[in-house]
Amino acid sequence: MTTSRHDATGPYEPYSRDTTTPRPPWPFTGREDELDLVRASLSGVRRGLVVTGPAGRGKTRLVTEAVRGTDCARVTGTPRTRHLPFAAFAPLLPEPVTLHAALHHLSGVRTLLVDDAHLLDDSSAALLHQLAVHGRARLLVVVTDGEPVPPAVSRLWTGELLPRLALPPLSREATARLLSAGAGDTPEPLTANRLHRLCDGDLRLLRDLLDAVRDHGRLTRDAGTWAWRGPVPLTPAVRDRTAHLLERVHPEEREALDRLAFAEPLPLDPDDLDATVLERLESDGLIHVDDLPGDPGSARPGGAPTGVRLAHPLHGPVLRAAAGRLRARRLTRAAQDPAPALDAEAAELSRRIDRADVAAGPPPVGDRLVAEGAAVPAAHAALRARYARLRGELAEAAAWAREGLRTTPDDPSCRAELARADGTPDVCGDPYDAVRLGTPERAADRLTGVFAAHADALARADGPALARAAEELQRRGFLLFAAEAHAQAAAAHREPHAARTARTRAAALARRCGGARTPALAGLVLGELTTRQRQIVTLAASGLSNRQIAERLTLSVRTVGNHLHGAYTRLGTTTRTALPHLADLPRPQPA
């Protein structure tokens, strides 16, 4: 594949910035469910929780938010004091101290947060374990994955003394919300997706990259959104994450990786690359071999072969930067035309659409071209827009359609996809749109598979059948359609609990679709509330406390609390953090 003009000019500029004025921390967002779980572990009969995850995942920020405003003692393990007995607990203990005395001294601590517990000295680790066994304090313990952990600490969860929360990476939707909070405007969807892929859940790297592209003037802004096109800045964090590429690979492996950096994807069996080298690279997790038709255990049988590519999107920029001018020039000239790879990607996307299964993501050929600022053919952009729309990713669909229109301003397919992503009905009259609009009789005998099942269930007002159709639509990747089917099931169910469950699932899926605005989702939740409940829920969702709501509406705090409790029951939720997502559902608009 050819590279953009940024790559062909040689190594990227080094990254440096003035760090004398630190930027303020980003707002806490995207971890509402985990925050509720951590807070719940510190109340009732629970004894606490162990939070684990890779470095940069946001573990410390999560637990800090969980104990904010509470009476909590805090200790932290450090690498420099691992040889000193009770070093981590020194601020809380007298000197000298024995394990028994330390346990007795901390008996009055109500809540104890232990950060970086994998770095505890042996005595502190033993004390922590004894506190879990015999103490009365509620423990919140943070451990980084991939690091050596003292046995006394690991036994906290392996011995089932405390439950363990393995913190997952932020979703794409949550990452986009975090980027909006961090940069002040909404990130353009393809930029948000790119940053999400590059950082792979490392929030420190995410902040580092955003600072770098902003400092280098690579962000462009338009109508309240910002975008990033061009090379990846080689910040210290990027170099640290990819140091193994340059330090631990053999020369023949480095040659193969460099070839991929300038021309991925390569054919599976290129004549001038040793298959044994590729096997070693795959075993080390440095390359990915796409599934081939008929491969044993293939996750997508019949899929188009797209060859071999680098396993992580950060690797390409680093390898290209380290190649040197002459080597980069040679490899750029030898790079393949991207058209065959784009054609293979388009064929695979079309096959998935024809099979009514869009759950898996597409190969990243088109994404790389867009990220580097290269033009994407309008036909390919329109197909990517359609694929994103079917998955319920309407903002991404609109972004792909606009990419195609930059290349071919009058392309009818891109214009049609842009209109559909923005909510304009299909002028061709898609039969399934009739089902989504609530008139399944107009689509009778014109649909097949899960779409026909959805239409039939809606025509019969069969709540359980609609729920089954929604679950199948979700399994196949049609998240927006699944949200609509769950919303229709909520109206059709005769059993109140089933209706509440359907509403909750519809709201969760609608949130994953970026708050899509369709008739089936309009008024999904708030329509179940009384006028006063809707008023109070809307204010609570905006962030007002019960007391602030009471003052605004001239009510007592107890009355506000009672109305919220009743609303929680009808909304099928138990936490205030879910209200912004449930209360901010869209108003009626065309499908």
Side-chain angles (χ1 to χ4, degrees):
M1 176 183 294
T2 55
T3 58
S4 73
R5 59 186 177 86
H6 304 286
D7 297 328
T9 57
Y12 302 150
E13 59 184 292
Y15 170 69
S16 62
R17 62 183 288 268
D18 179 13
T19 58
T20 57
T21 306
R23 292 202 169 109
W26 282 354
F28 180 82
T29 188
R31 294 286 191 196
E32 290 79 9
D33 292 340
E34 290 90 345
L35 183 62
D36 285 343
L37 182 61
V38 175
R39 284 176 171 166
S41 73
L42 300 177
S43 62
V45 299
R46 297 175 177 85
R47 298 292 306 279
L49 187 70
V50 179
V51 180
T52 66
R57 185 62 58 89
K59 305 181 296 298
T60 298
R61 183 67 185 275
L62 171 65
V63 297
T64 299
E65 291 295 326
V67 300
R68 188 180 299 280
T70 67
D71 182 16
C72 175
R74 179 168 183 162
V75 298
T76 303
T78 60
R80 293 185 178 181
T81 59
R82 294 188 73 168
H83 64 288
L84 299 176
F86 299 111
F89 284 87
L92 305 179
L93 298 174
E95 292 186 12
V97 68
T98 64
L99 178 60
H100 178 76
L103 183 63
H104 177 74
H105 188 81
L106 296 176
S107 61
V109 173
R110 180 187 178 96
T111 304
L112 176 64
L113 168 57
V114 183
D115 200 3
D116 287 338
H118 56 286
L119 296 176
L120 291 179
D121 59 273
D122 290 340
S123 298
S124 293
L127 174 58
L128 175 60
H129 187 271
Q130 289 300 308
L131 286 169
V133 174
H134 302 293
R136 290 179 293 179
R138 303 189 189 278
L139 303 176
L140 200 50
V141 183
V142 178
V143 176
T144 296
D145 289 344
E147 299 290 341
V149 181
V153 174
S154 62
R155 284 199 297 271
L156 293 176
W157 66 89
T158 60
E160 300 183 353
L161 290 171
L162 296 177
R164 177 188 181 190
L165 170 61
L167 197 62
L170 281 181
S171 66
R172 286 195 305 166
E173 297 79 17
T175 300
R177 295 203 305 272
L178 184 62
L179 288 168
S180 297
D185 287 318
T186 302
E188 176 258 351
L190 302 187
T191 295
N193 291 350
R194 182 188 187 188
L195 284 166
H196 178 73
R197 289 193 303 270
L198 286 171
C199 296
D200 194 26
D202 189 334
L203 302 184
R204 291 183 299 190
L205 179 59
L206 182 70
R207 175 68 178 263
D208 186 64
L209 277 177
L210 183 57
D211 283 348
V213 297
R214 179 167 45 196
D215 290 345
H216 287 166
R218 294 174 182 167
L219 294 185
T220 59
R221 297 183 183 272
D222 180 30
T225 64
W226 54 270
W228 167 38
R229 299 290 187 268
V232 176
L234 295 188
T235 69
V238 170
R239 293 184 184 276
D240 181 64
R241 283 285 299 269
T242 57
H244 60 288
L245 280 176
L246 309 179
E247 296 173 357
R248 298 201 297 268
V249 295
H250 298 295
E252 64 272 17
E253 294 172 341
R254 177 66 180 276
E255 174 67 21
L257 291 172
D258 282 349
R259 285 277 307 279
L260 285 167
F262 284 86
E264 65 176 327
L266 288 174
L268 182 63
D269 297 311
D271 294 335
D272 53 349
L273 281 181
D274 188 339
T276 303
V277 171
L278 295 180
E279 291 171 4
R280 288 204 303 266
L281 291 173
E282 184 185 20
S283 178
D284 290 340
L286 295 177
I287 66 171
H288 178 81
V289 181
D290 289 329
D291 295 327
L292 299 175
D295 272 357
S298 171
R300 45 186 178 92
T306 52
V308 184
R309 51 189 168 88
L310 295 170
H312 196 285
L314 273 182
H315 294 173
V318 172
L319 290 166
R320 292 194 294 270
R325 288 182 178 271
L326 295 179
R327 185 174 178 81
R329 184 178 182 185
R330 172 176 65 82
L331 292 171
T332 299
R333 287 177 174 176
Q336 299 173 343
D337 180 358
L342 282 176
D343 290 343
E345 180 178 294
E348 173 64 6
L349 293 176
S350 297
R351 270 189 289 272
R352 295 179 185 184
I353 292 172
D354 291 342
R355 294 197 303 264
D357 188 350
V358 296
V365 181
D367 299 77
R368 179 183 167 188
L369 286 176
V370 169
E372 294 174 349
V376 175
H380 187 84
L383 180 60
R384 289 297 303 267
R386 182 187 179 198
Y387 194 83
R389 174 173 56 81
L390 291 174
R391 289 174 52 84
E393 297 164 342
L394 302 187
E396 182 176 336
W400 275 109
R402 293 188 184 99
E403 286 295 328
L405 292 173
R406 289 191 181 96
T407 305
T408 310
D410 295 325
D411 182 78
S413 297
C414 286
R415 288 193 174 278
E417 286 298 336
L418 183 59
R420 296 210 71 189
D422 288 340
T424 302
D426 184 2
V427 296
C428 299
D430 185 338
Y432 190 55
D433 278 352
V435 181
R436 299 174 61 208
L437 288 166
T439 55
E441 63 278 0
R442 294 173 53 189
D445 303 324
R446 300 174 64 189
L447 297 171
T448 60
V450 65
F451 306 115
H454 183 187
D456 177 68
L458 183 60
R460 294 184 289 108
D462 187 334
L466 280 166
R468 289 193 296 271
E471 290 167 1
E472 180 63 13
L473 286 165
Q474 182 177 353
R475 187 185 72 81
R476 291 172 174 266
F478 298 98
L479 301 188
L480 178 57
F481 300 163
E484 293 171 331
H486 274 305
Q488 292 164 342
H493 275 303
R494 297 182 180 180
E495 201 279 312
H497 176 74
R500 286 196 299 270
T501 299
R503 282 194 298 272
T504 300
R505 291 176 178 174
L509 287 170
R511 183 166 73 249
R512 290 177 61 184
C513 295
R517 298 171 178 261
T518 73
L521 297 175
L524 174 67
V525 173
L526 293 186
E528 299 291 318
L529 305 181
T530 66
T531 300
R532 179 63 84 183
Q533 285 174 336
R534 283 199 301 272
Q535 188 179 31
I536 290 175
V537 163
T538 300
L539 292 173
S542 70
L544 296 185
S545 68
N546 287 12
R547 183 169 297 282
Q548 290 171 320
I549 295 172
E551 293 172 352
R552 178 169 297 192
L553 300 181
T554 318
L555 299 171
S556 70
V557 175
R558 181 182 295 275
T559 299
V560 171
N562 289 338
H563 279 302
L564 276 177
H565 179 75
Y568 288 159
T569 301
R570 295 194 179 194
L571 296 175
T573 185
T574 59
T575 63
R576 196 184 192 95
T577 55
L579 290 181
H581 308 304
L582 293 171
D584 192 29
L585 286 177
R587 296 179 176 82
Q589 287 191 11

